[in-house]
Amino acid sequence: MKLPKIFYCLVFILTTACQPAQQYQVIIRNGIIYDGSGGEPYISDIGINADTLAFIGDLVKAKGETEVDATGLAVSPGFINMLSWATESLLADGRSQSNIRQGVTLEVMGEGSSMGPLNPAMKKQMEQGQGNIRFDVAWTTLGEYLSHLEKKGVSSNVASFLGAGTVRTYVVGEEDRPATAEELDSMRVLVQIAMKEGALGIGTSLIYPPDFFASTEELIALCREAARFGGTYISHIRSEGTGLFKAVQELITIAREAEIHAEIYHLKAAGKDNWPKLDSLISVIETARAEGLDITADMYTYTAAGTGLTACFPPSMQDGGFGKLWERLRDPASRSRLKKMMVVNSTEWENFYYHAGPDQILLNEFRQDSLKKFTGKTLSEVAAIRGASPEETVMDLIYQDSSKIPSAYYLMSEENIRKQIVIPWVSFGSDEGSYTNEGMFLEFNVHPRAYGNFARVLGRYVGDEKLLTLQSAVHKLTKLPATNLRIKNRGELKVGYFADIAVFDPSRVQDFATFEDPHRYSVGVEHVFVNGVQVLKDGEHTGAMPGRFVKGPGSKIF
């Protein structure tokens, strides 16, 4: 039977279309592919054209303008930092070196506060409140800030939640009072604008003012708006210690009432008295998930938290904002009341001073040159040097520095970290900025998680302790957070996806940053690509800044 000529034409077109192109801008050869799905790894080549994964398979006959020999190395999607505070550090240095060198290709911001929207008063406050990192506030909305980063140049991709505290400050101010019906309507409008711009959802930090002043009903109203745009509710819950279960139930209520995916920031049981609560906490969340609620969490891999020294004070002392707190610290009667409140394990607010104790609070950053000599010392050490009680020292330092004084609090147990790491619905976030170990960044200490959080997952908990398989860890660093964030075409190695790629040696990945010497890069990540552009080559930064503003699902709906 003689087949028509058109048949042979179709066969030729189909077979040639299935063959890889012979020329690629980048070819990564012979890597062990961990594609993000959690499945078994396999050896293959990857072809990249422009910003896209163009082919995965045998490319022995193809040529690349740039070729990377990944023999014996793991090749995975770039890692997603679920909780980044690189909001200011990327303005100063867009290379994002401490995270890029760990394989991070997406920084997700917005824990309670976000870099927009800003009214004139908020802009002025942001400019006046700057510490060691100085920058011009050249934007108003959150979307404008993220676009500003992209235009300025950043090596990593950037995304953000809309901070509920920022929205509240914009409309209500920093006072401890309910929003009026009219104010709540205005807040809803701000949520709609941010979601259309590309915000990922609503973020809260409910142990701190002004977020602390928001009622559950207010948060449900904002989350209902975000849910209309496919957004997520992500929260530093109202208590991680004494009121842990009540705080988790509040998040579950918001998820149920607003019909929204909800995530718990940095899952933990804080304070030694609360460590035994973790198993029950996990059970509560598992029960809610079994009922059909979409609840997940993220974590960092250290036993110390990081926040301001102002976390030693009840939120009521910060009614009206930091300026009002500063004024109260001048008043002897207010100081006397505060001193008594600091040493009580309150059920009304999260008392980090009580949970950690002055021996376990490490002071990391000061604005005033006269106080920088105390950087890296514990609160007890500084109190002894100054001849004052620890409580008085906290009040004096905050007043004299006119800042919140970033600090580390030893609050968690290593045993609980190990339990959390293996939970299938838990991903990872550094809860820190991303820095370069030079220049202005060396003027202050940071939490070592800024330089080691992700390398610590791979080096310590996969390599040394064997708590996770490498494919499971990669899944929790890539596809899991991308899925939770509703981000399309990232988080997996698939043809047609953006070429965000980390190439690393699993046997060499290790973190070196410590509290005593925090500005130390991790090792073991050899190559990193962001949107198809190589930003790390043979372990060294190339200077490339191809990062983009990664938008949430709401920007595509309207």
Side-chain angles (χ1 to χ4, degrees):
M1 176 180 172
K2 188 175 180 179
L3 295 172
K5 187 175 181 180
I6 192 171
F7 173 83
Y8 295 102
C9 292
L10 288 170
V11 170
F12 175 80
I13 291 170
L14 290 171
T15 55
T16 55
C18 292
Q19 294 175 359
Q22 295 303 299
Q23 186 72 29
Y24 294 88
Q25 291 175 340
V26 177
I27 293 179
I28 302 173
R29 294 193 181 278
N30 303 314
I32 306 170
I33 307 297
Y34 292 82
D35 63 11
S37 69
E40 290 297 317
Y42 57 94
I43 296 175
S44 187
D45 304 325
I46 290 178
I48 301 171
N49 279 329
D51 60 0
T52 303
L53 284 164
F55 186 80
I56 301 175
D58 185 358
L59 289 173
V60 66
K61 295 181 180 180
K63 293 182 179 180
E65 296 173 22
T66 297
E67 297 206 1
V68 174
D69 182 7
T71 302
L73 301 177
V75 180
S76 80
F79 303 151
I80 296 175
N81 183 0
M82 277 296 297
L83 175 48
S84 170
W85 278 107
T87 46
E88 295 185 2
S89 58
L90 288 178
L91 289 167
D93 186 342
R95 289 176 294 174
S96 192
Q97 292 222 58
S98 64
N99 275 341
I100 286 290
R101 288 169 181 259
Q102 296 182 76
V104 173
T105 58
L106 174 59
E107 304 279 357
V108 181
M109 309 162 185
E111 183 199 2
S113 64
S114 53
M115 296 298 275
L118 305 174
N119 58 34
M122 295 167 72
K123 279 192 176 186
K124 183 178 180 180
Q125 185 180 49
M126 182 176 286
E127 289 168 347
Q128 293 178 341
Q130 292 172 15
N132 292 288
I133 300 174
R134 314 294 297 182
F135 54 91
D136 294 327
V137 183
W139 62 87
T140 297
T141 70
L142 178 57
E144 288 170 355
Y145 161 76
L146 294 164
S147 296
H148 174 78
L149 280 183
E150 181 180 313
K151 184 177 180 181
K152 172 187 172 293
V154 287
S155 294
S156 55
N157 295 312
V158 291
S160 184
F161 286 88
L162 172 66
T166 301
V167 172
R168 184 170 234 275
T169 301
Y170 191 104
V171 176
V172 179
E174 297 182 84
E175 290 72 36
D176 182 3
R177 66 171 179 82
T180 67
E182 293 78 11
E183 287 170 337
L184 192 54
D185 284 343
S186 296
M187 293 164 73
R188 288 190 183 100
V189 171
L190 291 177
V191 174
Q192 294 169 16
I193 292 170
M195 295 302 295
K196 290 177 183 178
E197 285 184 313
L200 298 171
I202 299 293
T204 60
S205 191
L206 296 174
I207 71 166
Y208 307 116
D211 299 47
F212 180 86
F213 304 144
S215 67
T216 304
E217 291 70 28
E218 179 179 310
L219 298 175
I220 290 170
L222 300 186
C223 285
R224 281 175 174 155
E225 290 300 318
R228 291 178 51 223
F229 296 83
T232 286
Y233 172 59
I234 189 166
S235 180
H236 180 147
I237 56 179
R238 213 172 285 268
S239 172
E240 297 171 330
T242 306
L244 181 59
F245 294 111
K246 183 178 179 182
V248 170
Q249 286 297 342
E250 180 184 38
L251 178 129
I252 291 171
T253 297
I254 293 169
R256 181 181 291 113
E257 294 299 317
E259 298 182 351
I260 195 169
H261 163 240
E263 172 138 335
I264 299 171
Y265 272 132
H266 42 61
L267 182 71
K268 65 170 76 79
K272 191 172 183 178
D273 293 345
N274 299 305
W275 292 351
K277 295 179 180 179
L278 183 67
D279 290 340
S280 296
L281 172 67
I282 294 169
S283 179
V284 168
I285 298 170
E286 293 279 15
T287 298
R289 287 171 55 84
E291 293 172 358
L293 294 178
D294 187 5
I295 297 175
T296 54
D298 53 71
M299 65 177 290
Y300 48 78
T301 51
Y302 295 81
T303 57
T307 188
L309 201 57
T310 48
C312 296
F313 299 158
S316 59
M317 288 295 293
Q318 302 173 64
D319 182 5
F322 181 82
K324 292 293 184 182
L325 169 64
W326 189 85
E327 291 177 6
R328 292 180 182 113
L329 292 178
R330 300 174 60 186
D331 174 46
S334 294
R335 288 174 66 99
S336 179
R337 289 195 304 273
L338 184 54
K339 188 175 180 179
K340 294 176 182 178
M341 298 172 80
M342 289 173 66
V343 297
V344 175
N345 185 19
S346 173
T347 59
E348 303 299 320
W349 62 284
E350 191 84 307
N351 189 344
F352 276 18
Y353 181 86
Y354 177 89
H355 288 317
D359 292 338
Q360 299 296 313
I361 300 175
L362 197 65
L363 309 179
N364 283 338
E365 183 180 352
F366 294 91
R367 294 172 61 183
Q368 302 300 323
D369 289 340
S370 61
L371 298 175
K372 289 184 178 181
K373 60 189 176 186
F374 298 133
T375 300
K377 295 185 182 300
T378 67
L379 177 59
S380 289
E381 289 172 332
V382 177
I385 292 170
R386 293 168 67 105
S389 72
E391 297 83 12
E392 291 169 332
T393 301
V394 171
M395 292 185 275
D396 290 342
L397 289 175
I398 291 171
Y399 179 79
Q400 292 163 12
D401 201 54
S402 296
S403 82
K404 296 181 179 181
I405 307 181
S407 304
Y409 296 74
Y410 288 88
L411 292 167
M412 283 74 71
S413 77
E414 182 64 30
E415 180 184 358
N416 281 350
I417 288 175
R418 293 189 181 102
K419 288 180 180 179
Q420 293 170 198
I421 273 179
V422 299
I423 299 172
W425 38 266
V426 172
S427 56
F428 299 97
S430 70
D431 198 3
E432 251 291 2
S434 186
Y435 308 98
T436 293
N437 62 1
E438 60 188 48
M440 73 177 76
F441 296 137
L442 299 183
E443 295 179 10
F444 55 92
N445 280 2
V446 298
H447 196 299
R449 62 196 181 193
Y451 285 82
N453 190 65
F454 307 95
R456 198 173 177 88
V457 173
L458 299 174
R460 180 170 184 170
Y461 296 108
V462 174
D464 296 340
E465 300 195 13
K466 307 292 192 287
L467 289 179
L468 291 170
T469 63
L470 184 53
Q471 56 263 38
S472 176
V474 168
H475 170 71
K476 289 158 72 66
L477 288 161
T478 59
K479 183 180 179 180
L480 175 62
T483 301
N484 291 339
L485 294 170
R486 280 54 172 167
I487 292 174
K488 301 295 184 183
N489 299 328
R490 297 187 194 270
E492 289 187 81
L493 296 182
K494 280 186 175 182
V495 172
Y497 275 45
F498 290 102
D500 296 339
I501 299 173
V503 181
F504 60 94
D505 184 345
S507 68
R508 288 187 60 245
V509 174
Q510 185 178 354
D511 65 293
F512 289 100
T514 63
F515 284 100
E516 296 73 26
D517 190 9
H519 292 284
R520 299 184 66 189
Y521 293 130
S522 295
V523 301
V525 177
E526 302 296 331
H527 310 282
V528 174
F529 292 82
V530 177
N531 299 312
V533 177
Q534 191 164 14
V535 297
L536 197 72
K537 181 179 181 181
D538 298 321
E540 294 297 327
H541 205 290
T542 66
M545 296 189 182
R548 296 178 185 169
F549 170 11
V550 174
K551 298 182 179 182
S555 66
K556 301 175 181 64
I557 294 174
F558 289 86

